[in-house]
Amino acid sequence: MMSASFRHTHKLSFSAIPLLLLLIYFTSFNSMQALAFALPKPPVINVSINVSNSRHHKQYHKEISPLTSHPPSTSTTLNSIPLALRGGASTVAPLTPTSLFNKSLLVLGLLSVFTKLVGRPISTIPSSSVPPPQPSSSPPLHNALRLKFLPLFYILRLSDWLQGPYFYSVYATKTLADGTSYPLGLISKLFLTGFASTAIAGPWLGRVADTSGRKKATLLFTLLYTLGALSTRSDILAYLFLGRVLSGLGTSLLFSAPESWLVSESQNIPDEDGRGGKELSKTFGLAYAGDSIVAILAGQLASLAARKRGETGPFELSAGVLALGAMGVATVWKENKAERKEGKGDSNGGIREGVKMVMSDPKIFLTGLIQAAFEGAMYTFVINWPPSLSSAVTSFFGPGAATPYGSVFSCFMACCLVGSTLFQRIAKYGVENVGVGMLLTAA
């Protein structure tokens, strides 16, 4: 008879073992290829080889390394000469930046699946013949709301993620009046302009979305973000700054209007069994779990668009996705607005109340301070990783090697997915302890 500990939940699913073996294989394969390209090539020696058989009598020249075995003998046959020396194609494809990062993405994907399976039970054998209670399904109205919200939410988020990988690259290809490329300092100013417009107009736009309608605000986001994306086709600096302002305003609406629409629609569903809050939380969980997959996909699509249309290709694709999202929102969503309450019409009063609440509670203030410091460090990394990685790729693979920003972006997003999965496993050790470890690791 099996012991009780074996009959119930196990800490490692056996189905994860093959994935672990694949993970070890691909990691070793990538490491060996990278090592082969990193090591200096030994000098070569030309060796003449006389090859004789009944039908051929030719002299071949082969380059060998003094670190390898002795030169081949004169009795070498034609079939023993490598395929590349006989005019055929090599059986090993050369390592390129794109293949390197795509293989790394595969490794990260396997790692994400493996971490997801760790801690999942294989099976549970009940001690009695009574079947275990089955979890009740979501109410039909909540399922219908998810079908309206989630696909369009993913489309809107896809339009945003598509612009991330080539943000630096699209501006780095622009030239000033003297013919020089935009320096990093100017690109940083363009980067910060979008965040400045978000910070300044964010509170006001959130109030406008509540009073004028969340559907209208979402449609306004698609318009502003489309104009911002298409501005990257211009070489006029003023238009580029204007595009960043419009994109910043659109970002404020993206991170407020769709989610506010969902909350309002969820509150309109009768909550007879008291499960409304759990169903809304489940919807948000599905939204942001799928958002990680959407971000990984966006990196691959951005790479394809850049190869077809150049550096502005991902932004043009984003504009097309925004048009699709706008049509969906216009036809599927119905309008909802916030209920105006007496004495709550002053937006400045709302901001003052928020500031007073933050300053009155040290925990809220410190949480905001930690979040701001982390976000500041992260966005410093965001603006600096493309030029740094491009320099590393050029020095490693040689001049002319193109940096696959989309594939690298997908790897970053896959790391985020792995991190969120790991957090579910290690949160039991205390969120504060995990937070300290995360910040030290990031530093």
Side-chain angles (χ1 to χ4, degrees):
M1 181 177 294
M2 293 184 297
S3 63
S5 60
F6 187 80
R7 289 166 53 196
H8 296 281
T9 303
H10 298 281
K11 291 299 181 182
L12 177 62
S13 173
F14 290 123
S15 59
I17 295 177
L19 294 176
L20 178 59
L21 296 176
L22 285 174
L23 175 64
I24 295 173
Y25 168 76
F26 279 106
T27 304
S28 302
F29 182 76
N30 285 338
S31 301
M32 292 296 292
Q33 282 195 317
L35 181 61
F37 272 77
L39 289 176
K41 295 182 179 179
V44 296
I45 302 173
N46 290 322
V47 177
S48 297
I49 308 172
N50 291 321
V51 180
S52 301
N53 57 26
S54 59
R55 298 178 58 187
H56 301 278
H57 183 77
K58 296 183 180 180
Q59 187 178 43
Y60 292 89
H61 296 276
K62 181 179 180 181
E63 294 181 346
I64 66 169
S65 169
L67 300 180
T68 59
S69 58
H70 297 290
S73 65
T74 55
S75 61
T76 305
T77 62
L78 183 64
N79 291 331
S80 66
I81 297 178
L83 180 62
L85 295 178
R86 289 185 271 132
S90 175
T91 57
V92 179
L95 185 66
T96 64
T98 300
S99 63
L100 173 63
F101 286 106
N102 282 339
K103 290 174 182 176
S104 300
L105 178 61
L106 176 60
V107 172
L108 291 170
L110 292 173
L111 179 60
S112 177
V113 174
F114 174 74
T115 53
K116 192 71 175 179
L117 292 176
V118 171
R120 177 169 295 184
I122 301 175
S123 62
T124 301
I125 303 176
S127 57
S128 63
S129 59
V130 179
Q134 298 295 326
S136 57
S137 59
S138 298
L141 291 178
H142 284 282
N143 286 330
L145 179 59
R146 291 189 186 106
L147 289 177
K148 291 181 180 179
F149 175 76
L150 289 177
L152 293 174
F153 176 80
Y154 293 147
I155 291 174
L156 297 177
R157 294 291 293 168
L158 176 62
S159 68
D160 182 41
W161 289 124
L162 281 170
Q163 301 186 25
Y166 288 85
F167 176 88
Y168 170 85
S169 179
V170 73
Y171 292 116
T173 57
K174 308 296 182 182
T175 56
L176 297 171
D178 58 0
T180 59
S181 300
Y182 282 13
L184 180 59
L186 181 57
I187 298 176
S188 299
K189 290 183 176 65
L190 288 165
F191 185 72
L192 293 174
T193 299
F195 286 103
S197 63
T198 300
I200 294 172
W204 173 74
L205 284 175
R207 183 58 60 93
V208 169
D210 289 338
T211 56
S212 300
R214 284 68 178 256
K215 177 180 176 179
K216 291 187 181 71
T218 303
L219 293 174
L220 179 59
F221 152 73
T222 61
L223 174 62
L224 294 175
Y225 228 57
T226 299
L227 295 175
L230 296 179
S231 70
T232 59
R233 295 185 55 84
S234 175
D235 292 325
I236 302 175
L237 184 59
Y239 288 169
L240 296 178
F241 272 105
L242 177 61
R244 291 303 302 150
V245 172
L246 296 178
S247 295
L249 298 177
T251 299
S252 298
L253 294 171
L254 173 63
F255 286 94
S256 59
E259 296 177 6
S260 298
W261 181 91
L262 172 65
V263 172
S264 180
E265 290 296 309
S266 179
Q267 291 175 345
N268 292 332
I269 296 177
D271 189 18
E272 299 176 354
D273 54 0
R275 295 172 53 189
K278 292 183 179 179
E279 294 298 328
L280 179 60
S281 177
K282 181 179 179 180
T283 304
F284 275 118
L286 292 173
Y288 282 97
D291 188 42
S292 300
I293 307 299
V294 170
I296 296 173
L297 176 63
Q300 299 300 301
L301 293 176
S303 289
L304 292 175
R307 286 198 291 268
K308 294 291 185 181
R309 299 281 298 172
E311 306 300 323
T312 61
F315 295 84
E316 297 169 2
L317 179 59
S318 175
V321 173
L322 285 164
L324 179 62
M327 289 188 292
V329 170
T331 56
V332 175
W333 290 7
K334 67 178 183 180
E335 189 61 274
N336 65 45
K337 303 178 182 179
E339 297 181 0
R340 181 179 294 274
K341 297 182 180 180
E342 295 296 331
K344 300 294 183 180
D346 184 9
S347 61
N348 292 327
I351 296 176
R352 284 196 298 267
E353 289 295 325
V355 172
K356 185 184 298 184
M357 180 180 298
V358 170
M359 300 305 296
S360 63
D361 191 337
K363 292 183 178 180
I364 298 178
F365 174 77
L366 289 176
T367 301
L369 183 63
I370 294 171
Q371 181 73 14
F374 178 80
E375 295 276 346
M378 183 186 69
Y379 284 116
T380 302
F381 171 81
V382 166
I383 193 59
N384 281 281
W385 76 261
S388 300
L389 186 62
S390 179
S391 176
V393 167
T394 301
S395 62
F396 187 82
F397 290 94
T403 303
Y405 296 107
S407 298
V408 177
F409 183 83
S410 294
C411 289
F412 286 151
M413 296 300 103
C415 289
C416 293
L417 182 60
V418 172
S420 63
T421 305
L422 284 176
F423 177 78
Q424 301 172 9
R425 302 288 177 254
I426 62 179
K428 61 184 179 181
Y429 299 108
V431 176
E432 295 81 2
N433 296 329
V434 173
V436 172
M438 179 271 296
L439 293 174
L440 291 176
T441 303

